Amino acid sequence: MLNWLNFCALALAVVVATYKLLRGRGARQAAGTRYLSGFFLCIGLGLALMAPPVLIAISHVEPVPNLGRLLGNSLEMLAAYFLGALGQSIARPAGIPRWLRRYGLLLAAAVTLMGTLLVVADTTFTLNFVNAYSREPLVVGYLVTFFCYIAVCLAAFIASVGGYLRHVQAGLFRVGLCFVVAGAGLGIVWAAWSGVRPVLVLVTGRSLATPLPVGATLGSICMLLWLVGATLTRWNDRLTAPLRWVPAWWRLRRIDPLWQAVRAELPQIALHTSGGWPLADAEFALYRRVIEIRDAQLTLRPYAHPDVPRWVGPDADPATLEAALIAAALVGHAHGRHYRAEHPFQDVAASVASESAWLARVARQFARADAVQRARWHATLAATTDPDPHPTGTVGPDRGGT
């Protein structure tokens, strides 16, 4: 038997429900979060309660035979109630109080009816409950009531979320909702396996029993779809983190020589005191380095000699020109030569990926290009031999820069 699936489902459901609840701790919990957590707790407990070892253990103390099954089925119906409420809160939140009252009363009536039918049917405990009592009208009524309530709640959820999905943009949230809706659809099939099959047996007189654990398998697949749908964005982030970390680390490594050079001249640009960069959070370190280099460029721009574009030549690519401007500006700042020149930055898309890719090209030219070395030499020569073009505006490095 697939008993372990029931207990794994319970463990996963408790973890997901607890995470969803704790994530909003300290703030007002969204109604949808409470309904989703209630759904997972109830479905997990229901599946665990319906595991054969648990049913057998309960059978030794239950005052009415198969009472453990009634408790498990009631928890599964309560889970359907919470899932239906979740769909209502997503699609039509204004109508949620009325929905809760209506379906709550229906749930109480259904559980009461099922308990009455079970007591009147005077059954004996058996694990093979559905097959054993498929020809008993009272038990078939019990199973049909169970199926009808779950089917109504899940159909309400599918109708609510299905309409809402048409207005959701493509992305992980939409995919997650599709998984949950698929799980709800399969959940109707799962409930039908217990509620419709006995009706067919009662009407036709032909047994539809199977040695395969179809019900447990369908329930486990439903649970898997619901768990994947509810946690898709979170575990997707965990799975793709290494894929994001590698390029971030590589770009961080490529721009580090440029950052080291500007930080040596302008230590105040660093947002922290350590000289290295953390391996564990390369994405944040890259974001921080980009900001620090751009801040340094803004500070250094007036210190670049106006003739830098002529020194590198008209054929220089934009990355080489920007690297030469930074190199010349570092020389000018070190010698206190403020040229009041305006050198525009290269236009780059406003994103960490685009900025870091561009700065990686600039850093490569900064360290290797002959044109940059030539600009650095001319800047040094101009700073040490030419008269100061703006003697009243000169700001030396010992006076803090501009």
Side-chain angles (χ1 to χ4, degrees):
M1 298 296 289
L2 302 178
N3 298 333
W4 61 275
L5 285 177
N6 297 59
F7 297 115
C8 287
L10 171 62
L12 289 172
V14 170
V15 169
V16 172
T18 303
Y19 169 76
K20 291 289 184 182
L21 289 172
L22 292 180
R23 190 179 180 187
R25 186 177 56 182
R28 184 180 178 183
Q29 283 282 353
T33 301
R34 296 195 300 269
Y35 300 143
L36 186 61
S37 300
F39 163 74
F40 276 117
L41 285 174
C42 291
I43 194 66
L45 288 170
L47 285 172
L49 200 59
M50 295 295 287
V54 178
L55 288 176
I56 293 173
I58 295 175
S59 69
H60 297 304
V61 295
E62 58 189 9
V64 177
N66 297 300
L67 182 61
R69 181 174 298 275
L70 175 63
L71 294 176
N73 290 154
S74 299
L75 283 169
E76 292 166 348
M77 293 164 70
L78 184 58
Y81 170 76
F82 281 127
L83 192 61
L86 173 63
Q88 186 73 16
S89 69
I90 292 174
R92 290 178 290 274
I96 190 66
R98 182 182 178 186
W99 194 98
L100 290 173
R101 287 193 300 271
R102 179 185 300 176
Y103 282 79
L105 290 173
L106 227 106
L107 174 61
V111 172
T112 302
L113 177 60
M114 289 167 61
T116 303
L117 291 172
L118 188 65
V119 171
V120 174
D122 194 22
T123 61
T124 57
F125 173 75
T126 175
L127 291 176
N128 201 15
F129 183 78
V130 176
N131 293 331
Y133 291 102
S134 291
R135 291 179 172 83
E136 172 56 52
L138 293 176
V139 175
V140 173
Y142 168 99
L143 296 171
V144 168
T145 304
F146 167 74
F147 161 71
C148 287
Y149 184 82
I150 287 185
V152 167
C153 288
L154 295 187
F157 172 80
I158 294 172
S160 299
V161 178
Y164 175 76
L165 270 175
R166 291 194 293 268
H167 307 287
V168 177
Q169 293 183 348
L172 287 177
F173 179 65
R174 181 186 176 91
V175 174
L177 281 179
C178 288
F179 269 100
V180 177
V181 170
L186 189 60
I188 295 177
V189 178
W190 173 30
W193 182 254
S194 298
V196 176
R197 187 164 52 100
V199 175
L200 297 177
V201 174
L202 183 64
V203 172
T204 64
R206 299 177 59 182
S207 175
L208 300 178
T210 171
L212 299 176
V214 177
T217 304
L218 288 174
S220 299
I221 296 174
C222 288
M223 192 67 176
L224 179 62
L225 291 173
W226 286 323
L227 287 169
V228 170
T231 60
L232 181 62
T233 55
R234 182 57 52 185
W235 61 257
N236 181 75
D237 289 342
R238 296 289 184 264
L239 291 177
T240 58
L243 300 179
R244 299 192 308 270
W245 181 89
V246 171
W249 174 85
W250 177 243
R251 286 178 179 173
L252 186 62
R253 184 173 179 272
R254 291 178 66 190
I255 70 173
D256 196 60
L258 177 61
W259 178 81
Q260 294 285 358
V262 298
R263 182 180 178 274
E265 184 63 28
L266 298 171
Q268 68 270 21
I269 65 152
L271 301 178
H272 68 108
T273 55
S274 63
W277 38 268
L279 289 174
D281 199 357
E283 288 182 279
F284 178 70
L286 179 64
Y287 170 76
R288 190 170 55 200
R289 292 292 188 269
V290 168
I291 293 177
E292 291 169 352
I293 292 173
R294 288 309 196 188
D295 285 347
Q297 284 186 273
L298 285 171
T299 302
L300 292 170
R301 183 160 56 178
Y303 292 90
H305 198 282
D307 292 336
V308 172
R310 181 173 61 84
W311 294 340
V312 299
D315 297 330
D317 66 275
T320 302
L321 176 59
E322 189 157 322
L325 288 170
I326 294 173
L330 287 171
V331 173
H333 188 273
H335 289 84
R337 302 301 297 269
H338 193 290
Y339 297 100
R340 297 181 181 173
E342 290 294 332
H343 300 284
F345 294 153
Q346 176 70 18
D347 188 19
V348 181
S351 68
V352 176
S354 299
E355 293 272 9
S356 60
W358 168 250
L359 290 177
R361 290 178 55 192
V362 173
R364 178 182 175 85
Q365 299 303 104
F366 181 85
R368 301 183 181 183
D370 292 337
V372 175
Q373 297 299 330
R374 186 166 60 250
R376 188 179 287 113
W377 181 82
H378 280 294
T380 303
L381 186 64
T384 55
T385 61
D386 291 348
D388 192 336
H390 303 290
T392 60
T394 302
V395 181
D398 59 331
R399 279 172 281 170
T402 55

